Amino acid sequence: MAPRHAGEVLARAALVVAADWHGGYDPAAPALALDPYGAGDIRPVWERSRWAELPLLAQAARLDPGGGHLERAEALVADWLRANPPFRGPNWVCGQEAALRALHFALALALLGGEAAPTTAARELLALHARRIAATPAYAAAQDNNHAVSEPAGLLACALLLGDRRAAAREAARLSTRVRRLVAQCGAFAQLSAGYHRLLLDVLAVATWLCRRFDAPCLDAPARERAAAAVAWLRRVTDPAAGAAPRLGHEDGSAFADLSLAGPADARPSLERAARLLAGRSAGFVDDPGCAWLDLPPCPPMPVAPPDWESEGMRGWAGEGGARALLRTGPLRFRPGHADLLHLDLWDGPLNLLRDGGTGAYNPPPGRAWWHAHLTGTAAHNTVEFDGADQMPRLSRFLFARWPETGRLPEGAWMRDHRGNRHARMVRREGRAWLVEDRVSGGFARLALRWRLAPDGGWRGTADGAEGPLARLTVTADAPLACALEQGWESPAYGEVRAAPVLAARAAAPVSRLLTRIELPARAA
């Protein structure tokens, strides 16, 4: 283990303390009757109760056996159990949260070599979590998202450590079924989100590693193929230099089983671990310490990713000098998290030049309720907004109705909303310049085309766009066009929102064509 990493593990472990486990929620309320949004944002409460500290303390105990780390781990769990009686309060509301706790607990035991003979107390704790996960299987399946994967993975971990081979085989089969349903052959996941895609791979990787420890089956062959394709998908959208990924769809900052201590901003350790465990390959990050903790041997490299690619919900192009573009497309087979069709992300190396607004919070703090609706809406994305309305009407906090029709074009994609407005977007490259052509039609009266710019870019508005050291954007149209550099908003991390520059180009019907030219600075030879 590299001394620097070992030192960071011990330093992080020294900071572990008991937390405020409830965040204002009633710890005595029956969990399944509790309103998860009734007392604030439950997402940070759940994050604090995922027991991510347990693998960290297990790592520290391996490095420093006499440092009292195991005693602190037991004290942390004991404090949590005192504060969270079974099936009461916010931390028993969600089966997925119980599953993630069980997986972290199982991973910690396995890192210490204690998974084969857990203590009576550990067995009781795992059985308790298995009961909670198993209580709401229909809800998990109906979500068609990470719930449907994490929960059978959690039950699989519980069954392995409890020595119930029959239950483990059943949950492995159920996990395989869910992966085959939710992961397309191209590797796209039902939730179009780099963050949730990473969580999917993290959960599958840990479950697969635990099954190997017990010499038990995990994913069947078709599911393994889908999982390997999912690794390739995340690799295509991740910056290899810094591990940053686009903020497409919901992003809540999860960093599950973070043995490398990379945090939510760096997906490379998750990629390398998943590549070795799920694809038998290396994603190119051969010195990842998390793989060393799991004793994963070196693997041959993954094939070179194609410069241009398509998957369900996404298209990508590579340009000169490390530039690349990502276009949000259809089809919409699973419910969308954001009204973001035909949003374009443009990266220049590690710089996310034209970007998504992010997520903000699922239940924002008082006075900031606008975060969620705005950042999930069309106006917070690099696409065309018709008549100031979202592409889809909202049904609830996480549901949209009347999904648009979508289709493929040779150089892009198109969509038609429920009002009959059509938007087709084509993307082309000319050296270090990118051309984005938008063709529109329908009964709209006015439209706005927005380009959300990287902050701190020294941007200046021009008559036909914006310019700065990072790029120059010019927008033209076949009708009068008003361009202005406006203040917008973006969420760089969950629970944070800050001002961000936005280039807005506005026109009235009968406009039918807009052309944006993005000129990137020349790269030194």
Side-chain angles (χ1 to χ4, degrees):
M1 198 63 59
R4 180 178 178 181
H5 173 72
E8 187 176 0
V9 167
L10 293 173
R12 295 272 192 98
L15 300 176
V16 173
V17 295
D20 169 14
W21 302 118
H22 305 129
Y25 285 84
D26 181 2
L32 296 185
L34 189 147
D35 177 4
Y37 301 102
D41 190 0
I42 203 168
R43 171 68 187 80
V45 176
W46 284 348
E47 180 73 29
R48 287 193 294 271
S49 286
R50 288 182 175 177
W51 293 352
E53 302 90 347
L54 298 187
L56 172 63
L57 290 169
Q59 290 173 291
R62 291 268 297 273
L63 295 169
D64 178 21
H69 304 292
L70 297 186
E71 292 80 1
R72 294 171 60 222
E74 290 199 8
L76 185 79
V77 174
D79 184 75
W80 190 92
L81 288 170
R82 281 192 297 270
N84 296 275
F87 316 130
R88 298 277 174 174
N91 291 310
W92 292 103
V93 166
C94 179
Q96 176 172 239
E97 297 305 316
L100 296 177
R101 274 198 301 277
L103 285 162
H104 270 146
F105 187 75
L107 175 61
L109 286 179
L111 285 170
L112 296 165
E115 75 277 16
T119 65
T120 300
R123 292 174 61 84
E124 290 175 352
L125 188 58
L126 289 164
L128 191 65
H129 279 74
R131 282 181 59 198
R132 173 56 196 93
I133 302 166
T136 50
Y139 176 85
Q143 301 311 297
D144 271 341
N145 60 19
N146 265 299
H147 287 256
V149 173
S150 301
E151 297 191 26
L155 286 172
L156 173 57
C158 291
L160 289 172
L161 271 72
L162 292 172
D164 190 339
R165 288 275 176 165
R166 183 174 180 180
R170 181 182 67 242
E171 296 306 327
R174 191 155 67 102
L175 181 61
S176 295
T177 299
R178 298 290 170 73
V179 170
R180 293 196 305 270
R181 170 173 170 75
L182 299 176
V183 179
Q185 289 184 335
C186 62
F189 182 43
Q191 287 176 282
L192 188 70
S193 157
Y196 278 116
H197 198 108
R198 178 183 176 185
L199 179 60
L200 163 80
L201 294 179
D202 285 337
V203 167
L204 293 178
V206 169
T208 298
W209 184 73
L210 289 170
C211 286
R212 288 187 183 181
R213 300 277 290 192
F214 284 90
D215 193 25
C218 190
L219 299 178
D220 61 22
R224 285 199 305 272
E225 290 180 6
R226 301 289 178 99
V231 175
W233 188 98
L234 186 61
R235 182 181 179 226
R236 285 194 291 264
V237 304
T238 299
D239 170 53
R247 294 193 300 251
L248 299 168
H250 288 321
E251 293 288 341
D252 66 9
S254 293
F256 178 75
D258 186 14
L259 301 180
S260 304
L261 307 184
D266 186 352
R268 292 173 298 178
S270 293
L271 263 175
E272 184 65 22
R273 177 173 61 190
R276 295 193 199 186
L277 282 164
L278 304 174
R281 298 279 187 164
S282 169
F285 314 114
V286 295
D287 296 325
D288 171 54
C291 290
W293 279 109
L294 300 180
D295 294 319
L296 300 181
C299 292
M302 296 176 67
V304 176
D308 300 352
W309 54 275
E310 292 184 58
S311 70
E312 286 194 8
M314 184 78 70
R315 293 189 70 166
W317 296 266
E320 289 188 6
R324 57 195 174 93
L326 302 169
L327 180 66
R328 168 69 161 118
T329 66
L332 297 178
R333 286 204 305 125
F334 298 95
R335 65 187 188 193
H338 290 204
D340 61 352
L341 284 166
L342 302 190
H343 164 88
L344 185 79
D345 245 47
L346 182 61
W347 294 64
D348 193 7
L351 172 67
N352 191 185
L353 181 69
L354 305 180
R355 54 181 56 194
D356 189 294
T359 293
Y362 297 147
N363 193 19
R368 298 168 186 168
W370 60 270
W371 283 8
H372 185 72
H374 172 72
L375 290 168
T376 59
T378 302
H381 296 88
N382 297 329
T383 188
V384 170
E385 177 193 54
F386 294 108
D387 293 322
D390 286 336
Q391 295 168 342
M392 302 165 266
R394 294 178 185 275
L395 281 179
S396 63
R397 187 186 304 270
F398 297 116
L399 293 178
F400 289 99
R402 308 187 75 175
W403 301 351
E405 299 175 53
T406 65
R408 181 188 178 280
L409 295 170
E411 296 178 307
W414 63 268
M415 58 143 284
R416 181 184 293 108
D417 68 21
H418 66 283
R419 305 176 189 91
N421 297 315
R422 189 178 190 275
H423 175 200
R425 171 163 279 184
M426 285 72 71
V427 179
R428 297 188 292 276
R429 295 152 293 188
E430 293 182 356
R432 288 280 288 162
W434 293 76
L435 278 72
V436 182
E437 181 180 2
D438 293 303
R439 291 189 175 272
V440 295
S441 61
F444 65 90
R446 55 191 173 86
L447 62 75
L449 167 63
R450 293 182 178 87
W451 295 110
R452 306 177 54 81
L453 309 172
D456 305 321
W459 299 103
R460 303 177 298 276
T462 65
D464 57 358
E467 62 183 9
L470 303 179
R472 173 176 172 79
L473 287 80
T474 57
V475 187
T476 57
D478 61 356
L481 193 66
C483 291
L485 198 58
E486 302 176 351
Q487 178 185 294
W489 303 94
E490 72 169 8
S491 175
Y494 190 86
E496 299 177 22
V497 171
R498 68 185 182 191
V502 178
L503 173 61
R506 304 177 190 276
V511 63
S512 63
R513 180 177 179 270
L514 301 96
L515 183 65
T516 303
R517 181 178 178 87
I518 304 134
E519 299 176 28
L520 305 178
R523 290 291 192 196

